[in-house]
Amino acid sequence: SPGEPQAPFFLPPPRWPVECEVIQDRIEHIEWVPPKPEPFCPPMGPEQALYTLGEEQGTVVYHSSPALQGSCFIHARVGGAPGPLSSPAAPLEGPQDTTLLFESRFESGNLQKAIKVGPYEYVLVLRPDLYTAKHTQWFYFRVQNTRQEPLYRFTIANMAKPKSLYGQGLRPLLYSQQDSQSRGIGWRRVGTDIHYCRGSAGEPALFRLSWTVRFPHDGDTCFFAACYPYTYSDLQRYLRALVADPVRSRYCTVQALCRSLAGNTVYLLTITSPGGTAGKRAVVASARVHPGESGGSWAMRGFLDFLLSAHADAQLLRRLFVFKVVPMLNPDGVVVGNSRCSLAGRDPNRAYGMELPGSFPGVWHLQAMVRRVLAEREVVLYCDFHGHSRKNNVFMYGCDAGGDGAGTWLRQRVFPLMLSKNAPDKFSFSSCKFQVQKSKEGTGRVSMWRLGVSHSYTLEVAFSGSTLGGRSSHFSVEDLKSLGRLLCDTLLDFCDPAPAKLQQCLVEADALLQRQMGREPGSGGSWSDVSPSELESSTSGSDSSVCDG
């Protein structure tokens, strides 16, 4: 229990499906905050198809595709495929050969093929989520043998979504090993002439992301990524330091919620002040059910950093609440570099109602844990941390009851409204949605609400950044981590025994809803004849709306 000494903490290496080859290189990146916000890329005008040579006119210089045994996951082991590694990259012909050397057979890596179609131009193909033929969005790969002078063009030829923030100024991330070692510079936004457009004419349609870039050094080792990577090993290093800390480990225990299909541990953190839990309400938080949404992990990291700190507000939160936190619900997907699915080949955030612990152990055991907590105490809030590829800023999805009228509708909006006041340059209340669509019944947010958690939310963090408060710039790692602290601040406001803040937000939410319905605020109109679907468009929804049936 919290406050008691813990046994030595053993963190086994990640387990991979046996079809996956894994290089032995230790991949770690430094954390770095750019000295000033990184602006969005200027828009390139109407999105139009770029003429880019295909594989038939080029040379395959990298091809790594797991030899999947059938169509479903069978077995996993530490280190992935046994035996010697293959050589997916074409060998260089000599020191004058400027061909880039690609690699992605490391944790969270995703690149299936690279085709050289010009001296400094490459067409790239992402690997679909394992045991599926779709969900290509996340990318993370390494390039070596760089040259500083030429302008390179990269085109990812099989992106899955018809709309993307790359069409609104989002830029890819680059990490230079030389810059990290000599100048302390980490991940940064790069890319010019960025295009996102339809590529193939067939069905299902595929889309192309193209950008140009110059590398900072000759002979460098660089990485590209869709968002700041946060791997399963990153989480394990964080937990190892936490458990070894004699102060923080007094009020935080780390346990195994369950094992994933591959046998990786799904960790559960219980955070509260020592001395008993009687009379305390609970707060439940989770992240990374979708492995390609790594921004959610950085927001979760900030949430944990603040909650485990010596700050007076953090101490108060630990005295008031029992926090149950699952920081990585889908470790297998994170390990193998999936965008959306687990090794079951399905989206686990549509599986909460399926009662299939053998196929979706993380979400099943999370739901079972919440049921047990609800039998003991009130759960005042559930928050599931996600990333979003099509909308800027940070926002929430909640749950309108539909039967209790204005009182419930307004209360559902109070927490997001408070968060928008605490984070005015990041959080967009106008982007929040509260309708419970039939296609979302299997999500964590709706399932926890159905269990009896009256305030159950999905926190959506844009892959890009903020357009609020005079900003038009990308989120840094520090921006993402600050969201966790701001969520804690908002929780204290939300549960403040003095009613002033709550009443103010209820009045403001009522006025906003009245305007949304075309009414004059303060006119006294009844809500009894208004349905939740009338309050917002039925087409608004999570990041999955486009690609998931």
Side-chain angles (χ1 to χ4, degrees), residues 49 276 348 360 366 446 473 538:
F360 304 101
L366 172 62
V446 177
S473 57
S538 62

Side-chain angles (χ1 to χ4, degrees), residues 268-332:
L268 169 65
L269 281 62
T270 302
I271 302 168
T272 194
S273 58
T277 60
K280 292 184 179 181
R281 294 184 289 176
V283 174
V284 181
S286 59
R288 288 302 276 286
V289 69
H290 293 149
E293 299 171 6
S294 59
S297 275
W298 288 106
M300 173 61 80
R301 166 80 177 274
F303 179 74
L304 291 173
D305 282 348
F306 183 79
L307 199 53
L308 294 166
S309 72
H311 193 284
D313 285 351
Q315 295 181 48
L316 176 58
L317 285 165
R318 295 194 298 267
R319 288 197 300 271
L320 291 174
F321 300 105
V322 178
F323 291 86
K324 295 286 189 178
V325 182
V326 182
M328 194 170 284
L329 266 171
N330 184 0
D332 294 350

Side-chain angles (χ1 to χ4, degrees), residues 28-349:
E28 288 187 52
H29 305 297
I30 64 170
E31 287 183 37
W32 177 71
V33 178
K36 56 184 179 180
E38 297 174 296
F40 293 146
C41 183
M44 301 308 299
E47 296 176 358
Q48 54 187 5
L50 292 169
Y51 175 71
T52 305
L53 296 172
E55 181 177 343
E56 59 277 4
Q57 292 91 13
T59 304
V60 176
V61 295
Y62 177 82
H63 191 188
S64 175
S65 186
L68 302 180
Q69 301 172 2
S71 59
C72 62
F73 168 74
I74 297 172
H75 181 57
R77 66 188 294 272
V78 172
L85 294 175
S86 64
S87 300
L92 298 178
E93 296 179 356
Q96 302 307 312
D97 190 342
T98 61
T99 301
L100 291 175
L101 297 173
F102 291 84
E103 182 60 87
S104 71
R105 295 173 298 168
F106 48 81
E107 207 175 333
S108 293
N110 188 325
L111 179 67
Q112 182 167 293
K113 187 183 293 187
I115 305 141
K116 187 176 182 179
V117 295
Y120 303 104
E121 182 174 357
Y122 295 85
V123 173
L124 311 177
V125 178
L126 303 181
R127 175 188 52 73
D129 284 5
L130 284 188
Y131 314 111
T132 81
K134 55 182 181 177
H135 305 297
T136 44
Q137 174 175 279
W138 167 259
F139 60 88
Y140 176 32
F141 58 89
R142 186 179 78 185
V143 293
Q144 294 175 305
N145 197 38
T146 62
R147 297 295 189 273
Q148 184 179 14
E149 184 63 28
L151 183 69
Y152 290 80
R153 176 172 288 280
F154 297 95
T155 300
I156 296 176
N158 65 330
M159 300 290 277
K161 296 192 175 182
K163 294 292 183 182
S164 170
L165 286 166
Y166 289 108
Q168 302 178 43
L170 172 60
R171 305 165 81 192
L173 283 160
L174 172 78
Y175 187 95
S176 160
Q177 204 92 307
Q178 287 192 34
D179 278 347
S180 69
Q181 293 168 354
S182 63
R183 303 169 61 198
I185 295 176
W187 289 102
R188 57 187 154 181
R189 299 288 175 175
V190 299
T192 53
D193 195 22
I194 297 173
H195 293 265
Y196 193 91
C197 56
R198 181 160 180 156
S200 66
E203 293 294 335
L206 295 175
F207 299 84
R208 293 191 168 211
L209 166 63
S210 181
W211 72 95
T212 57
V213 66
R214 281 189 168 88
F215 290 107
H217 304 285
D218 289 337
D220 200 357
T221 294
C222 292
F223 296 82
F224 286 103
C227 190
Y228 306 102
Y230 194 95
T231 66
Y232 184 59
S233 291
D234 289 331
L235 173 64
Q236 289 186 312
R237 283 188 283 270
Y238 183 81
L239 296 181
R240 187 181 294 115
L242 170 59
V243 172
D245 185 327
V247 176
R248 294 185 298 169
S249 61
R250 288 183 59 246
Y251 40 78
C252 177
T253 58
V254 181
Q255 301 165 288
L257 176 70
C258 63
R259 305 267 176 200
S260 68
L261 291 185
N264 292 306
T265 301
V266 179
Y267 295 102
L268 169 65
L269 281 62
T270 302
I271 302 168
T272 194
S273 58
T277 60
K280 292 184 179 181
R281 294 184 289 176
V283 174
V284 181
S286 59
R288 288 302 276 286
V289 69
H290 293 149
E293 299 171 6
S294 59
S297 275
W298 288 106
M300 173 61 80
R301 166 80 177 274
F303 179 74
L304 291 173
D305 282 348
F306 183 79
L307 199 53
L308 294 166
S309 72
H311 193 284
D313 285 351
Q315 295 181 48
L316 176 58
L317 285 165
R318 295 194 298 267
R319 288 197 300 271
L320 291 174
F321 300 105
V322 178
F323 291 86
K324 295 286 189 178
V325 182
V326 182
M328 194 170 284
L329 266 171
N330 184 0
D332 294 350
V334 174
V335 167
V336 302
N338 278 1
S339 288
R340 195 163 191 89
C341 297
S342 68
L343 296 184
R346 297 282 296 277
D347 179 353
N349 201 38

Side-chain angles (χ1 to χ4, degrees), residues 268-516:
L268 169 65
L269 281 62
T270 302
I271 302 168
T272 194
S273 58
T277 60
K280 292 184 179 181
R281 294 184 289 176
V283 174
V284 181
S286 59
R288 288 302 276 286
V289 69
H290 293 149
E293 299 171 6
S294 59
S297 275
W298 288 106
M300 173 61 80
R301 166 80 177 274
F303 179 74
L304 291 173
D305 282 348
F306 183 79
L307 199 53
L308 294 166
S309 72
H311 193 284
D313 285 351
Q315 295 181 48
L316 176 58
L317 285 165
R318 295 194 298 267
R319 288 197 300 271
L320 291 174
F321 300 105
V322 178
F323 291 86
K324 295 286 189 178
V325 182
V326 182
M328 194 170 284
L329 266 171
N330 184 0
D332 294 350
V334 174
V335 167
V336 302
N338 278 1
S339 288
R340 195 163 191 89
C341 297
S342 68
L343 296 184
R346 297 282 296 277
D347 179 353
N349 201 38
R350 296 296 181 275
Y352 277 86
M354 291 184 179
E355 297 293 331
L356 293 173
S359 298
F360 304 101
V363 300
W364 188 90
H365 283 276
L366 172 62
Q367 199 168 12
M369 183 269 291
V370 171
R371 283 196 183 98
R372 291 195 302 271
V373 173
L374 281 167
E376 300 172 353
R377 64 190 77 245
E378 178 190 356
V379 177
V380 69
L381 181 80
Y382 170 69
C383 188
D384 193 19
F385 293 58
H386 284 249
H388 207 284
S389 70
R390 295 182 290 119
K391 290 168 68 174
N392 282 310
N393 307 311
V394 182
F395 48 95
M396 279 180 151
Y397 295 127
C399 300
D400 266 335
D404 292 341
T408 301
W409 292 344
L410 297 179
R411 288 186 176 275
Q412 284 294 322
R413 287 157 173 77
V414 167
F415 190 90
L417 185 58
M418 286 180 165
L419 184 52
S420 73
K421 294 177 181 296
N422 288 332
D425 64 336
K426 300 180 184 70
F427 191 94
S428 170
F429 180 73
S430 64
S431 296
C432 296
K433 304 295 178 185
F434 300 88
Q435 186 180 350
V436 177
Q437 297 168 288
K438 186 175 181 180
S439 63
K440 305 301 189 291
E441 285 289 343
T443 63
R445 162 179 60 100
V446 177
S447 297
M448 299 306 172
W449 176 63
R450 297 281 188 211
L451 285 179
V453 181
S454 56
H455 294 91
S456 181
Y457 300 100
T458 301
L459 180 74
E460 296 279 2
V461 182
F463 286 17
S464 52
S466 172
T467 60
L468 305 172
R471 288 187 60 162
S472 186
S473 57
H474 294 86
F475 287 138
S476 67
V477 164
E478 196 55 43
D479 283 325
L480 299 176
K481 287 161 64 176
S482 74
L483 291 170
R485 172 181 58 79
L486 293 165
L487 198 75
C488 291
D489 289 345
T490 305
L491 181 59
L492 283 176
D493 291 339
F494 186 65
C495 297
D496 191 334
K501 291 179 182 177
L502 177 64
Q503 290 301 325
Q504 177 191 340
C505 285
L506 285 171
V507 170
E508 190 171 333
D510 181 68
L512 289 167
L513 277 179
Q514 296 278 10
R515 288 194 193 95
Q516 198 171 326

